[in-house]
Amino acid sequence: MKRLLFVCVENSCRSQMAEAFACIHGNGEIEIYSAGSRPSGKVNQKAIEAMQEIGYDLSRHDSKSLTEIPAVEYDFVVTMGCGDECPFVRAKQREDWMIQDPKTLPPDQFRKIRDEIEKKVKEVLCRMEGA
């Protein structure tokens, strides 16, 4: 089974939503993880609310550190624009999405980030299926 990892600094918004969308659209065929270089310890309430709007319960997710996920080579690692904050993780493929951290944005702009993440997750899943 292929492994997919989403990384951001706090593991509270972007990477959590990306993990959720990968679970929704991945059909159980990929091991999906998310983590942070400096995790906040909680999932952002705005992210929980934004995902509830589309029927996904993000409140059951946990904010976690890179040390809490398997130390393996991932098939694909996505960083969320965290630059030097995201340490190197072994991966066959990697990509940086440069997505703005939405935690301080109003709900309409937060939704736009959520929807952008969903689109990008679907693209990655399609590429992983073809690889």
Side-chain angles (χ1 to χ4, degrees):
M1 189 174 276
K2 293 184 179 182
R3 293 183 183 102
L4 172 58
L5 170 63
F6 298 98
V7 182
C8 67
V9 177
E10 293 184 349
N11 189 227
S12 66
C13 275
R14 296 167 290 177
S15 57
Q16 289 287 345
M17 290 189 290
E19 178 184 2
F21 283 123
C23 288
I24 292 167
H25 301 299
N27 302 318
E29 297 173 8
I30 297 173
E31 286 181 32
I32 303 154
Y33 301 90
S34 72
S37 55
R38 287 185 289 119
S40 68
K42 61 183 176 17
V43 177
N44 183 287
Q45 187 60 38
K46 286 183 179 180
I48 292 170
E49 291 167 8
M51 294 304 288
Q52 278 178 333
E53 291 176 358
I54 62 162
Y56 188 91
D57 183 8
L58 197 63
S59 69
R60 58 190 171 95
H61 284 225
D62 293 313
S63 172
K64 56 205 155 301
S65 168
L66 286 163
T67 61
E68 297 176 67
I69 60 169
V72 297
E73 180 179 52
Y74 289 85
D75 293 283
F76 207 107
V77 171
V78 175
T79 53
M80 302 284 175
C82 48
D84 293 340
E85 292 282 331
C86 290
F88 182 78
V89 176
R90 290 184 305 145
K92 292 176 184 167
Q93 289 184 276
R94 64 181 61 250
E95 193 168 282
D96 186 33
W97 286 354
M98 296 301 294
I99 294 176
Q100 178 184 3
D101 187 346
K103 70 181 176 185
T104 60
L105 297 177
D108 61 325
Q109 291 177 335
F110 198 104
R111 287 184 199 102
K112 286 180 183 176
I113 299 285
R114 176 200 64 199
D115 297 345
E116 178 185 357
I117 290 170
E118 181 178 26
K119 179 180 176 244
K120 288 180 166 291
V121 166
K122 285 179 175 180
E123 290 169 359
V124 165
L125 291 172
C126 283
R127 291 197 321 237
M128 287 182 74
E129 286 175 7

